[in-house]
Amino acid sequence: MVEPVRVNRRKFLLASGGVAAAATSAQFVPATLLAQDKPLPPFASFKSPEAMIVHSANTMETDREVMGAPPITPLNELFVRNNLPAPSEEIVADPDIWSVEFEGVAEPGSMTLGEMKKLGVESVAAVLQCSGNGRAFFDHETSGTQWAVGAAGNVFWTGVPLRRILTAMGGTLQQSGFVTATGGEELPPGIDPLTIMVERSVPVEALENALLAYEMNGEPLKVAHGGPVRFVVPGYFGVNNVKYVRKVALTENESGSKIQQSGYRLRAVGDSGGPSQPSMYKMVVKSWVTEPMRDVSTGQVLVQGVAMGGDSPVSSVEVSVDGGATWNAANLSGPNLGRFAWRPFSYLVNLEAGTHLIASRARNDAGEEQPELFEPNHRGYGHNGWRDHAIELTVS
């Protein structure tokens, strides 16, 4: 039976193995039981029901037990996170007519996707990860979806580099400090747009790699993932990759939207959010084991998982089968898809009968190492501590 090392005692069992035993305990409520009566919403009907934990109509997580260690995450298994209800499927019927407005350039104006494509396209493999991935491992009460490890995937984005578009519009203005993207969700009437709209600003340095993406894994971008056009900043947390993007502006200051000013801020437990606190921009080095997630027999066991370097390539991964007492180098078993992609890893080990605490620890080319522990923060963002991400495996 697979048990968590230290799972959020309010809601989660880390993996779906061990559901029967955990269900008898008042201390744990398995994620699979919480989600088993929630069907996939229509806009995500293409997802594999066996692979998804449906938390709500706007939040669906990839089940760790079926995640495996793929170089690229299949679209039917990729997590879904929407801050607002998704628009109608009608918006992806003819992607090339989708229009995006550009401001803060020498020649402001609008351009359709069809027009943008003529400027040239690029593809990049990059991790897509919710800021709250790992929230379930915190002990304190946190609002928001109780993600374990499944609010992340590695995908191929194809789109038009933002730098090419801005060049075609006369270039950027020198006083610009941020790139601000505005989503195209329909807002309810009678509410101040700034309190609910999805509008995010990222430092202007993001221009180097930002795309207006219209394909994911070689397929037209679906509404569930921000189609027909999504603002994508490789190496940054998912909230900055604004869906249904309608406007991109080079701005001197950050957006005044609530999601920018007070939301997605790293703050101490109990503190209110504000613009002086760090924003959830660049991702950090992180890894976790994905296999095996069920009982195994004694002998050789292949431990597998995935590792990401944030905005720096993964350089190495170590695996411990004794809770961090000793570490051994794992093999980076998947292809190197670039700086922003994750790397599958594997480690073959002989395990004797008993319970083993299996953990992984990644490093990146910048010299950053995944820490053992991660300090709690109010909204449960950015958890990359290896101890909480470890699993207990029973060998018989």
Side-chain angles (χ1 to χ4, degrees), residues 297-309:
S297 301
T298 55
Q300 286 194 327
V301 174
L302 183 64
V303 177
Q304 297 187 84
V306 294
M308 63 188 74

Side-chain angles (χ1 to χ4, degrees), residues 7-341:
V7 76
N8 183 299
R9 283 176 276 278
R10 293 173 287 114
K11 293 186 178 180
F12 259 85
L13 181 70
L14 183 57
S16 57
V19 164
T24 64
S25 169
Q27 188 175 16
F28 295 107
V29 180
T32 46
L33 292 187
L34 286 172
Q36 66 182 357
D37 293 328
K38 297 179 181 177
L40 289 166
F43 79 102
S45 61
F46 65 97
K47 299 293 181 181
S48 171
E50 296 77 19
M52 308 306 296
I53 299 171
V54 181
H55 293 286
S56 73
N58 290 327
T59 54
M60 286 141 267
E61 174 176 4
T62 309
D63 193 329
R64 184 174 186 167
E65 190 173 11
V66 301
M67 182 177 285
I72 294 295
T73 305
L75 293 186
N76 66 344
E77 296 181 0
L78 181 65
F79 81 102
V80 175
R81 166 67 170 112
N82 280 5
N83 281 283
L84 293 174
S88 165
E89 292 287 337
E90 295 176 359
I91 67 172
V92 296
D94 188 357
D96 282 352
I97 67 173
W98 184 265
S99 181
V100 180
E101 182 182 359
F102 297 93
E103 295 181 354
V105 291
E107 301 171 11
S110 299
M111 196 177 293
T112 66
L113 175 58
E115 292 168 334
M116 285 187 271
K117 288 179 181 178
K118 296 176 183 178
L119 301 175
V121 302
E122 295 180 4
S123 294
V124 61
V127 172
L128 178 65
Q129 180 180 211
C130 180
S131 304
N133 197 34
R135 180 180 285 134
F137 301 119
F138 289 106
D139 285 330
H140 68 284
E141 291 285 339
T142 57
S143 61
T145 301
Q146 298 299 303
W147 309 108
V149 300
N154 193 48
V155 298
F156 266 115
W157 298 104
T158 297
V160 184
L162 180 57
R163 62 183 184 276
R164 295 196 184 195
I165 299 171
L166 299 182
T167 297
M169 306 196 83
T172 62
L173 301 179
Q174 289 186 349
Q175 70 266 28
S176 300
F178 297 90
V179 182
T180 298
T182 307
E185 294 96 339
E186 183 176 350
L187 304 181
I191 297 178
D192 181 357
L194 290 177
T195 65
I196 192 172
M197 68 190 303
V198 179
E199 183 176 84
R200 287 284 296 179
S201 300
V202 295
V204 73
E205 67 184 54
L207 277 175
E208 179 183 354
N209 300 299
L211 293 175
L212 292 190
Y214 59 88
E215 286 186 356
M216 180 185 280
N217 291 1
E219 297 183 17
L221 201 54
K222 297 180 182 296
V223 167
H225 295 299
V229 181
R230 183 170 184 173
F231 179 69
V232 171
V233 189
Y236 282 59
F237 281 106
V239 66
N240 302 290
N241 298 289
V242 175
K243 297 179 177 180
Y244 329 111
V245 62
R246 275 298 193 187
K247 184 171 73 173
V248 176
L250 278 296
T251 58
E252 184 177 357
N253 300 308
E254 293 179 297
S255 167
S257 65
K258 182 179 179 180
I259 199 173
Q260 180 76 34
Q261 291 294 308
S262 60
Y264 291 88
R265 297 283 177 172
L266 209 57
R267 49 193 164 109
V269 177
D271 285 358
S272 298
S276 65
Q277 300 155 342
S279 191
M280 296 304 294
Y281 285 146
K282 293 183 179 181
M283 293 186 286
V284 294
V285 62
K286 185 174 182 178
S287 69
W288 60 86
V289 170
T290 59
E291 295 183 14
M293 295 295 292
R294 293 278 180 173
D295 293 356
V296 295
S297 301
T298 55
Q300 286 194 327
V301 174
L302 183 64
V303 177
Q304 297 187 84
V306 294
M308 63 188 74
D311 71 338
S312 178
V314 173
S315 59
S316 65
V317 179
E318 296 174 302
V319 169
S320 174
V321 296
D322 54 14
T326 60
W327 294 91
N328 294 279
N331 294 316
L332 295 176
S333 51
N336 184 352
L337 296 176
R339 166 184 171 188
F340 303 112

